[in-house]
Amino acid sequence: MLKIHFSGEDVLRTRVAPAADPVWELVLSLHLLRGRSRDPLMATWRRTVASGLRQESAFEQLRLLFALNPPRGYFPDFLTPYASVDGFEAGLEAVRSTPVSLLRRDLAVLAGENPLPPSASALARGEPEVLRALTDSMERYRSVAISPYWGRIQAAVEADRTRRARALLDGGVEGLFTSLRPGMRWDSGVLEVHDYPDSRELHLDGRGLLLVPSFFCARTPVALLDPALPPVLAYPVDRLGGLGSSGAEAGFAPGREALAALLGRTRAAVLEASHDGCTTGEVARRLNISPAAASQHTAVLRNAGLLVSRRDRNTVLHTLTPLGRAVLDA
């Protein structure tokens, strides 16, 4: 079990990442791609990505990246820098700028559990060309495994952020932490992460905690090993049906038939009401329509790829997808 200890100052400085973190998603997707997970929601994604990498003959170029990310157990902290909260390029620049002392330490820990290719030795020395080749391979992998699905990934993370925001508004900070159940438990200033592979205690010491909602995170949340680094905890979100195909085929570029179903004032009003997240009951009250009608309209919008819906106990929360937001803004 991982126990994260909060002071009052830590509680005030804890926040949820502003969007899906592209570097965390990349790294955690590598573990899912090569692991033993039988998640049926991701089976098509795994087959498609593996096939795409084979067609590009990319496996050899990605050899070091794969070696740094074994299917199970430890992976280096330097691969998921705090700077990635500002975007993919900022994250890659931080990887390329990793101090040699951190490279040596992280790779020594990894080598104690896994065989590493010869290029890992040059990486441990901080050779710029190897660091550049590593980030180039991250970009290449991203183009096959992440970018085609980014709309769905963003939608799932945004839906989770909306859920956490509502939990905070309704129940305060305690409500936010309580909403992280069942994988985590909040008790008297300590956030307990169950089923964690190691027994650890992390004291935030006034730095707060960055919660990173992640599409590719497995069942157990992930924290950095080095307690001196800015505290981060990546945790899994509802995958909203998984990644059955590329973003276009999964409903983020729907055809004319789906868009035709959106014509009409009521559905446009439902879309607008869902701008900041709205339950079915709230939609009905705001638009003065029956709950059954509200449910029907949200179903049409959801099938058109403009809304995502997540059930939480007895309510269903509807939030906009990136396409839905673009349609509304237009």
Side-chain angles (χ1 to χ4, degrees):
M1 178 186 293
L2 171 64
K3 293 185 177 182
I4 304 176
H5 296 265
F6 290 74
S7 66
E9 190 173 3
D10 292 316
V11 169
L12 293 176
R13 292 183 175 178
T14 291
R15 61 194 180 107
V16 179
D21 187 302
V23 178
W24 269 102
E25 296 295 356
L26 185 155
V27 169
L28 293 175
S29 76
L30 281 161
H31 304 164
L32 185 64
L33 177 67
R34 304 172 64 222
R36 297 178 180 177
S37 170
R38 301 297 181 187
D39 186 347
L41 296 179
M42 304 303 293
T44 300
W45 172 83
R46 294 173 76 173
R47 289 194 300 269
T48 302
V49 171
S51 175
L53 294 177
R54 283 194 296 269
Q55 290 174 6
E56 291 196 5
S57 302
F59 277 111
E60 185 57 35
Q61 290 89 335
L62 299 176
R63 186 182 179 193
L64 177 58
L65 180 62
F66 284 156
L68 295 177
N69 290 279
R72 296 172 302 281
Y74 172 79
F75 64 93
D77 287 345
F78 76 85
L79 286 178
T80 51
Y82 194 87
S84 65
V85 73
D86 294 322
F88 188 64
E89 292 303 324
L92 293 192
E93 181 57 35
V95 171
R96 288 190 288 267
S97 303
T98 305
V100 173
S101 60
L102 297 186
L103 292 171
R104 288 176 178 169
R105 183 203 60 193
D106 286 4
L107 292 173
V109 175
L110 184 64
E113 303 175 0
N114 302 273
L116 297 179
S119 55
S121 297
L123 180 62
R125 294 192 295 270
E127 296 185 8
E129 62 272 20
V130 179
L131 281 162
R132 171 66 64 177
L134 174 61
T135 55
D136 286 349
S137 70
M138 292 172 73
E139 290 187 278
R140 186 166 188 178
Y141 173 80
R142 182 194 186 210
S143 69
V144 175
I146 305 296
S147 294
Y149 310 93
W150 191 241
R152 179 65 61 87
I153 293 166
Q154 286 180 304
V157 169
E158 185 60 33
D160 185 86
R161 278 176 46 82
T162 300
R163 180 188 177 196
R164 305 307 164 197
R166 292 180 68 90
L168 179 65
L169 289 172
D170 293 343
V173 174
E174 185 174 5
L176 169 64
F177 288 127
T178 301
S179 75
L180 297 171
R181 291 183 175 179
M184 293 178 269
R185 177 174 176 267
W186 174 255
D187 182 23
S188 302
V190 178
L191 185 63
E192 299 175 346
V193 180
H194 302 294
D195 297 327
Y196 204 75
D198 300 314
S199 214
R200 291 178 52 199
E201 300 210 7
L202 174 60
H203 293 266
L204 299 178
D205 296 327
R207 296 171 295 172
L209 179 68
L210 177 65
L211 292 164
V212 179
S214 170
F215 186 93
F216 285 104
C217 186
R219 184 171 60 90
T220 304
V222 180
L224 302 176
L225 182 63
D226 186 355
L229 292 173
V232 174
L233 185 69
Y235 67 90
V237 303
D238 187 329
R239 290 178 177 148
L240 304 178
L243 300 177
S245 57
S246 71
E249 295 173 354
F252 283 86
R256 293 179 181 176
E257 298 81 6
L259 287 177
L262 299 179
L263 297 177
R265 291 189 178 186
T266 302
R267 284 179 187 148
V270 172
L271 196 65
E272 185 173 4
S274 303
H275 184 273
D276 294 317
C278 199
T279 66
T280 304
E282 288 170 342
V283 168
R285 289 192 294 272
R286 290 183 188 183
L287 304 185
N288 195 27
I289 59 178
S290 70
S295 180
Q296 180 183 19
H297 289 308
T298 55
V300 171
L301 293 168
R302 182 171 59 251
N303 292 337
L306 303 182
L307 288 183
V308 292
S309 304
R310 190 185 191 285
R311 178 170 293 278
D312 189 0
R313 298 180 183 177
N314 296 325
T315 62
V316 178
L317 180 66
H318 310 285
T319 55
L320 296 180
T321 66
L323 176 62
R325 194 171 298 278
V327 169
L328 186 61
D329 291 342

